[in-house]
Amino acid sequence: MMQSQEIRKQFLAFFENKKHTIVPSAPMVIKDDPTLMFTNAGMNQFKEFFLGNKKPKNSRVTDTQKCLRVSGKHNDLEEVGKDTYHHTMFEMLGNWSFGDYFKKEAIQWAWELLTEVFKVDKDMLYVTIFEGDEKEGLQRDTEAYDIWKEFISEDRILNGNKKDNFWEMGEQGPCGPCSEIHVDIRSAEEKAKVPGKDLVNKDHPEVIEVWNLVFIQFNRKADSSLEELPAQHIDTGMGFERLCMVLQNKKSNYDTDVFTPLIREIETITNSKYGKEEEIDIAIRVIADHVRAVSFAIADGQLPSNTGAGYVIRRILRRAIRYGFTFLNEKEPFIYKLVDTLENQMHEAFPELRSQKGIIENVIKEEEHSFLRTLDQGLQLLDNVIAGSKSKTISGKKAFELYDTYGFPIDLTALILSEKGFELDTESFDVELQKQKERSRKATKIETGDWHELIEDDEEEFVGYDMLQTKVKITRYRKVTSKKDGEMYQLVFNLTPFYPEGGGQVGDKGYLEAPNGDVTYILDTKKENNLIIHYTRNLPVNLNATFEAVVDLDSRNNTAANHTATHLLHQGLRTVLGTHVEQKGSLVKADYLRFDFSHYAKVTTDELKQVEEFVNARIREQLPLEENRNIPYQQALNEGAVALFGEKYGDTVRTIKFGESMELCGGTHVKNTADIWHFVITSESAVAAGVRRIEAISAEGAKQYFESQSEAYDKVLAVLKTKNDPIKVITSLQEENVALRKEIEALQKEKAKGLKQEIRNGLEDVNGVKFLAQKVDLDQAALKDMAFELGSEFKNLFALFASENNGKAMLTCYISKELVAEKELNAGQVVRELGKLIQGGGGGQPFFATAGGKNPGGIPEVLEKAKTYIL
Ligand code: ATP
Ligand code: MG
């Protein structure tokens, strides 16, 4: 049986032989495309080649691409685990032609690989071609049909509709008719009952699509019309796990060696058995699948979070936790333990799993902990809901609250309710869910217009490393509308000095000046599919003019200082804390910088000082920038450059070096570390398990920081009326304060002495008890002294003092021990009971107790009631 590793290798080798260049998988998490969060097909990373925005270096490439189909147009999440051939994260094997070969070679080679190299039985195969679509004005793909019939009998070539045989990445973008290859892996007996051709594209678990050959020739525009692309391309995608299933003669992807090690490990850890009971099998498949998706995402730098891509990852992990919780009875974290098995199995093709293993495990474990806690709380809340419910049907509103605020899965709510003989009103739940979806859709909806091209076929050049001002022409523009930003325009130039947001650094701001002096402000600059996009509120009047493009100098310089400081900080952290420190994220702005990195403990104040000093020492060394804009990726690594995982690097890269600090980086930097002036760490905190965050300032930010510190200091001097030694003044003020306090205490005691006589005079003889209930203007400590003093004088004392301070009432009760025994009195009980009258409570011992309350208005009643204890 061919191992999966070998299958992957043979695929790539086959196309390498056909003059394709093997390229690495792009990161699974996409950072520069607002229309797509995750790579959902092999073609994503080549989109710009199809659209003609960029020219490829090689016209034929092949790879295996990590894909994730959990959001947007391609979302298989709910299927995963329930069936045996859809995953959230899977590998897509592909071969591409960018304006090179077309249908004939694509079909011929696919056939050759499957039937001759992999020796798949031809009788298992069916293919589909696009039948055409009248509404779109598209013809049947007779060209593909004619090519296929050279290889496969005509009764195995089936027509497919637009849904199956016209491939589109999303609402907009490159697309075209496609031709799929399906396998029928049923037993001969089953095949005799129903012919395979009747089951193609019918969701049959044993008649499934393995390979899709897409003939890219159109671009879907914003108004949903199709536009012919200037060239024709090939884009193919074959599910690696499905191919393994076919070649390893299995009936399920989960029975291939891609999954069996994980499944065995789940069985061991959870003490369960795969293949016996459907519910348990689904749970095991869900967990085996999801741990892959989540691990690869974290390796790509996407931590679970509350928004965007991070939230999607959190939800996937929670789905796995919840299946383990309900069906495998796992109440403690366990999914993180699978990372070891996954790493062993995949690290050869995806070395990031090995290098990032520690953080992947930590993050998953922490997420498991916190979600299990949530589940626990949710269960309690649900119990309360059940207990408080008059009917046997629980409203969807309540369930939605649990779901929305606590992340409590709705299917779990329904399950628990049914176990307890209750029912969930799913209809009203759906209404709430729909409402929420509508709210968030409205909040995030972006309408993107089509590009208006002014100058064709011009590749935009970034000149912002060397210039902050230059003449430009607009090559294309379009309108975008979103709730958040309103109407904006996106402009692309023939060349630009504006740095587009990337590598953590914010985009440049500035303006365009027309020859007549009209100014259009550039509010932000971003990169989208390799185009540098400038955001403006309005369009310049004459779009065809030549403009002076000017970058905001101050903001750029401060950002550059913070960016260089970030590199030095990274180096400082690795020096002080150790080389396990890896960058996990960064934000570089004009006013401050933020740096997230892997480290397992809080960074101590002492360590922070050392890091800060490290950076400031590099600043004082006045290290010049050594930049290499075009160095082969591997060579840069060999020279010691630090690369970030999850970033997409080209064949050649740019390196930024200041002394011993060397990083792959596209950002803007100072010419000399001296330009940073000074570096100050302003905070250290935790972002996730094993990930710490440092915030810091430099240059203008540091200057302002010191200025405001010094201003505050001046104010302190002014307030203290001193010129130079505030510490001395403060110390003497503190001493004076202590002395005054002592004096007050002494005065209180004096006052008490005077009062004592008064109080003695107030003592009554009631039933042989020396009784006293009085409001006294003394503090708590003085009252206690007084009570004990009287107590030592009289052996039959019952004294209750009430006092008032700052709007609060206090009671102090003393009962001689003899009385306590004799009359079964209890001071603690007395203050508790009387305390209610002052809206408070308290307690103490049987002979001495105190109480406090917020209602001094109750004091007269307290004094009146006191006597009742001895009557
Ligand atoms: P299906 O109809 O089976 O969902 P698809 O039409 O969505 O497949 P394509 O978008 O054409 O698939 O993707 C190309 C190939 O990727 C498919 O032929 C299949 O082998 C594989 N594939 C697609 N989705 C998944 C998935 N969720 N898990 C594993 N493999 C997949
Ligand atoms: Mg699909």
Side-chain angles (χ1 to χ4, degrees):
M1 189 179 83
M2 206 192 297
Q3 297 285 309
S4 54
Q5 308 262 25
E6 185 56 30
I7 295 171
R8 191 191 285 116
K9 274 190 202 141
Q10 286 206 9
F11 177 92
L12 297 174
F14 176 85
F15 283 103
E16 193 175 33
N17 240 321
K18 308 277 187 211
K19 308 241 161 7
H20 290 62
T21 305
I22 301 177
V23 300
S25 173
M28 193 169 76
V29 183
I30 296 182
K31 289 166 186 150
D32 66 348
D33 187 342
T35 63
L36 207 57
M37 273 191 221
F38 303 104
T39 297
N40 64 15
M43 58 80 69
N44 298 159
Q45 69 162 317
F46 306 120
K47 191 166 112 177
E48 59 226 77
F49 298 153
F50 295 138
L51 292 172
N53 289 340
K54 224 187 148 204
K55 289 180 188 61
K57 214 173 75 193
N58 305 299
S59 62
R60 294 179 185 190
V61 303
T62 181
D63 70 1
T64 178
Q65 172 66 49
K66 298 173 279 187
C67 295
L68 190 61
R69 290 194 169 181
V70 289
S71 58
K73 189 175 169 73
H74 294 280
N75 186 346
D76 294 333
L77 183 61
E78 287 312 315
E79 257 51 71
V80 174
K82 293 180 187 146
D83 76 17
T84 51
Y85 58 105
H86 278 99
H87 303 297
T88 53
M89 182 251 161
F90 62 98
E91 283 179 62
M92 198 185 278
L93 301 165
N95 57 291
W96 281 270
S97 148
F98 307 120
D100 188 330
Y101 62 85
F102 203 45
K103 292 181 192 176
K104 184 163 169 295
E105 294 84 345
I107 291 175
Q108 184 190 326
W109 290 340
W111 189 256
E112 182 186 330
L113 177 63
L114 285 180
T115 61
E116 287 170 34
V117 178
F118 287 141
K119 306 249 180 316
V120 176
D121 185 354
K122 288 176 195 164
D123 290 340
M124 284 170 77
L125 299 174
Y126 292 89
V127 302
T128 61
I129 61 139
F130 180 47
E131 65 185 6
D133 188 283
E134 222 174 286
K135 263 201 225 125
E136 299 269 12
L138 295 167
Q139 302 285 313
R140 180 168 180 264
D141 192 355
T142 49
E143 190 188 351
Y145 186 90
D146 291 339
I147 301 168
W148 274 121
K149 73 179 188 202
E150 308 263 317
F151 303 104
I152 188 168
S153 69
E154 288 185 56
D155 60 338
R156 287 175 174 267
I157 310 176
L158 313 170
N159 279 333
N161 59 19
K162 191 179 127 188
K163 180 180 139 285
D164 289 318
N165 280 76
F166 193 86
W167 201 89
E168 307 200 37
M169 183 189 74
E171 299 309 324
Q172 273 161 270
C175 54
C178 62
S179 206
E180 307 154 332
I181 305 175
H182 294 255
V183 287
D184 181 356
I185 54 171
R186 293 174 305 154
S187 63
E189 203 186 343
E190 288 297 318
K191 283 180 181 170
K193 282 190 214 153
V194 188
K197 69 177 172 47
D198 292 348
L199 298 174
V200 165
N201 272 333
K202 296 282 190 303
D203 293 331
H204 191 287
E206 294 182 11
V207 182
I208 60 171
E209 177 190 329
V210 281
W211 203 348
N212 195 357
L213 316 178
V214 186
F215 313 125
I216 300 268
Q217 52 197 115
F218 300 105
N219 178 27
R220 174 79 66 189
K221 304 213 306 179
D223 64 0
S224 86
S225 65
L226 291 173
E227 159 189 79
E228 282 271 354
L229 288 172
Q232 296 174 323
H233 317 278
I234 287 295
D235 151 27
T236 88
M238 171 149 64
F240 170 63
E241 300 77 8
R242 293 187 192 178
L243 176 65
C244 291
M245 170 177 79
V246 176
L247 300 186
Q248 297 180 355
N249 284 321
K250 304 291 184 196
K251 302 273 184 210
S252 155
N253 287 5
Y254 295 89
D255 293 338
T256 66
D257 69 341
V258 180
F259 283 96
T260 45
L262 281 174
I263 290 184
R264 293 293 90 81
E265 190 62 20
I266 296 171
E267 289 181 321
T268 310
I269 295 175
T270 65
N271 200 12
S272 54
K273 197 89 203 103
Y274 185 68
K276 286 224 153 30
E277 207 181 308
E278 183 65 3
E279 263 187 352
I280 291 183
D281 288 357
I282 292 177
I284 293 180
R285 287 197 289 264
V286 163
I287 294 160
D289 175 278
H290 292 7
V291 70
R292 285 168 27 110
V294 173
S295 299
F296 274 94
I298 297 172
D300 255 10
Q302 184 56 64
L303 299 175
S305 75
N306 261 340
T307 52
Y311 188 54
V312 176
I313 298 304
R314 173 166 282 169
R315 274 191 9 233
I316 298 175
L317 182 51
R318 288 183 168 184
R319 188 168 182 260
I321 300 170
R322 178 249 172 297
Y323 270 90
F325 181 86
T326 312
F327 301 107
L328 305 180
N329 204 24
E330 287 300 312
K331 312 291 187 219
E332 296 294 325
F334 74 102
I335 297 172
Y336 74 96
K337 294 182 191 159
L338 300 168
V339 175
D340 198 41
T341 307
L342 180 65
E343 177 243 0
N344 264 324
Q345 191 190 346
M346 303 283 274
H347 75 90
E348 203 178 305
F350 301 98
E352 65 266 30
L353 283 180
R354 174 153 286 184
S355 59
Q356 307 283 316
K357 185 177 163 215
I359 190 151
I360 296 172
E361 286 173 333
N362 265 301
V363 168
I364 293 183
K365 190 174 171 188
E366 185 58 35
E367 280 283 313
E368 287 191 80
H369 257 306
S370 83
F371 189 56
L372 286 167
R373 258 200 310 271
T374 303
L375 285 180
D376 232 27
Q377 282 169 359
L379 289 174
Q380 277 171 25
L381 284 167
L382 200 52
D383 277 345
N384 292 345
V385 170
I386 290 172
S389 173
K390 287 193 195 76
S391 98
K392 285 272 160 195
T393 307
I394 302 291
S395 89
K397 226 182 169 132
K398 274 266 176 318
F400 184 77
E401 228 174 83
L402 272 174
Y403 163 84
D404 196 36
T405 29
Y406 298 94
F408 202 73
I410 186 61
D411 51 346
L412 185 55
T413 304
L415 184 78
I416 293 167
L417 288 179
S418 78
E419 279 169 8
K420 306 210 167 179
F422 282 74
E423 217 184 353
L424 171 70
D425 177 7
T426 45
E427 233 166 75
S428 58
F429 177 83
D430 288 342
V431 170
E432 292 299 317
L433 190 64
Q434 227 29 57
K435 276 198 231 158
Q436 188 208 37
K437 278 196 177 147
E438 191 57 22
R439 281 194 299 270
S440 76
R441 195 186 61 82
K442 274 203 187 126
T444 57
K445 190 163 193 290
I446 300 173
E447 272 170 45
T448 312
D450 287 317
W451 286 113
H452 298 272
E453 268 192 66
L454 300 174
I455 302 170
E456 251 181 68
D457 222 23
D458 203 355
E459 264 200 58
E460 186 182 31
E461 190 191 346
F462 177 64
V463 297
Y465 294 138
D466 307 304
M467 300 180 220
L468 291 180
Q469 180 166 355
T470 184
K471 295 231 177 310
V472 307
K473 288 187 80 70
I474 300 173
T475 57
R476 53 166 81 188
Y477 69 91
R478 68 180 174 188
K479 186 157 103 178
V480 286
T481 318
S482 70
K483 174 129 188 180
K484 187 164 146 264
D485 299 318
E487 261 181 27
M488 301 266 270
Y489 289 90
Q490 298 183 329
L491 273 47
V492 179
F493 308 151
N494 57 338
L495 81 173
T496 181
F498 287 88
Y499 177 79
E501 179 184 316
Q505 182 179 332
V506 294
D508 277 337
K509 297 179 180 38
Y511 62 89
L512 289 183
E513 187 177 333
N516 67 358
D518 279 357
V519 161
T520 308
Y521 289 99
I522 308 280
L523 306 176
D524 199 359
T525 313
K526 290 192 173 152
K527 202 168 196 174
E528 225 180 274
N529 299 310
N530 260 39
L531 288 177
I532 298 176
I533 292 181
H534 308 80
Y535 283 84
T536 64
R537 191 54 72 190
N538 309 301
L539 284 178
V541 181
N542 182 0
L543 287 159
N544 296 308
T546 298
F547 299 88
E548 189 71 25
V550 184
V551 173
D552 182 312
L553 186 69
D554 276 351
S555 144
R556 165 68 91 81
N557 283 345
N558 284 307
T559 306
N562 278 334
H563 203 151
T564 305
T566 304
H567 284 204
L568 299 177
L569 169 63
H570 190 185
Q571 187 198 7
L573 287 166
R574 288 172 70 94
T575 309
V576 174
L577 303 179
T579 48
H580 63 278
V581 167
E582 271 189 46
Q583 176 167 349
K584 285 287 151 221
S586 75
L587 175 68
V588 178
K589 298 174 69 165
D591 49 352
Y592 80 108
L593 67 94
R594 193 173 82 195
F595 189 73
D596 297 345
F597 56 99
S598 48
H599 182 57
Y600 301 112
K602 185 168 173 57
V603 189
T604 64
T605 314
D606 187 46
E607 287 165 337
L608 287 176
K609 276 281 155 246
Q610 286 179 49
V611 171
E612 201 174 74
E613 180 44 34
F614 178 94
V615 175
N616 282 316
R618 302 292 83 74
I619 293 171
R620 285 192 303 274
E621 277 170 18
Q622 311 195 0
L623 301 167
L625 163 67
E626 296 168 69
E627 177 194 13
N628 191 336
R629 287 196 195 156
N630 206 1
I631 168 170
Y633 176 70
Q634 200 50 49
Q635 187 188 335
L637 295 191
N638 294 346
E639 288 179 17
V642 180
L644 291 189
F645 199 79
E647 281 304 318
K648 196 163 124 190
Y649 293 112
D651 303 329
T652 63
V653 291
R654 175 171 179 254
T655 54
I656 293 295
K657 194 168 180 301
F658 289 95
E660 299 290 299
S661 153
M662 181 169 174
E663 295 197 23
L664 301 190
C665 180
T668 64
H669 288 271
V670 295
K671 295 272 172 281
N672 188 297
T673 57
D675 300 336
I676 304 172
W677 302 347
H678 197 73
F679 173 79
V680 185
I681 293 176
T682 51
S683 82
E684 194 270 350
S685 58
V687 243
V691 182
R692 311 293 309 180
R693 165 170 295 174
I694 280 183
E695 292 184 326
I697 48 181
S698 79
E700 188 62 33
K703 182 175 151 242
Q704 278 174 15
Y705 171 78
F706 285 119
E707 275 169 6
S708 72
Q709 294 282 87
S710 134
E711 223 170 86
Y713 183 73
D714 286 346
K715 277 197 191 128
V716 169
L717 294 185
V719 170
L720 294 175
K721 299 200 176 55
T722 173
K723 287 238 163 52
N724 39 32
D725 199 350
I727 304 292
K728 193 170 148 201
V729 180
I730 290 170
T731 314
S732 93
L733 279 174
Q734 281 171 337
E735 280 164 5
E736 198 176 318
N737 205 4
V738 170
L740 286 173
R741 197 172 295 144
K742 274 198 187 130
E743 214 167 294
I744 290 175
E745 273 166 25
L747 283 172
Q748 286 272 5
K749 281 210 177 110
E750 265 318 292
K751 194 169 157 197
K753 252 188 225 158
L755 273 175
K756 214 178 289 170
Q757 203 39 53
E758 219 175 280
I759 284 167
R760 261 203 196 87
N761 296 342
L763 281 171
E764 267 179 80
D765 281 310
V766 187
N767 291 340
V769 174
K770 283 268 179 232
F771 173 77
L772 175 81
Q774 211 167 311
K775 187 167 177 211
V776 184
D777 191 15
L778 276 180
D779 69 15
Q780 208 47 36
L783 274 176
K784 186 176 176 185
D785 287 351
M786 165 83 81
F788 276 78
E789 207 171 294
L790 284 172
S792 66
E793 215 171 298
F794 303 101
K795 295 297 160 210
N796 55 349
L797 178 71
F798 182 113
L800 184 93
F801 299 118
S803 60
E804 193 178 336
N805 193 5
N806 279 336
K808 297 221 167 65
M810 292 291 305
L811 305 181
T812 304
C813 180
Y814 185 96
I815 306 175
S816 300
K817 288 196 176 124
E818 288 79 354
L819 268 187
V820 167
E822 195 179 309
K823 300 218 168 193
E824 288 185 11
L825 287 169
N826 184 331
Q829 197 185 337
V830 171
V831 299
R832 261 194 303 278
E833 285 169 11
L834 297 179
K836 288 193 186 120
L837 300 171
I838 54 164
Q839 285 181 30
Q845 288 155 286
F847 76 99
F848 181 78
T850 57
K854 53 186 180 207
N855 177 28
I859 289 179
E861 207 184 338
V862 169
L863 299 178
E864 221 166 90
K865 280 254 166 75
K867 203 181 262 179
T868 57
Y869 285 95
I870 52 163
L871 288 178

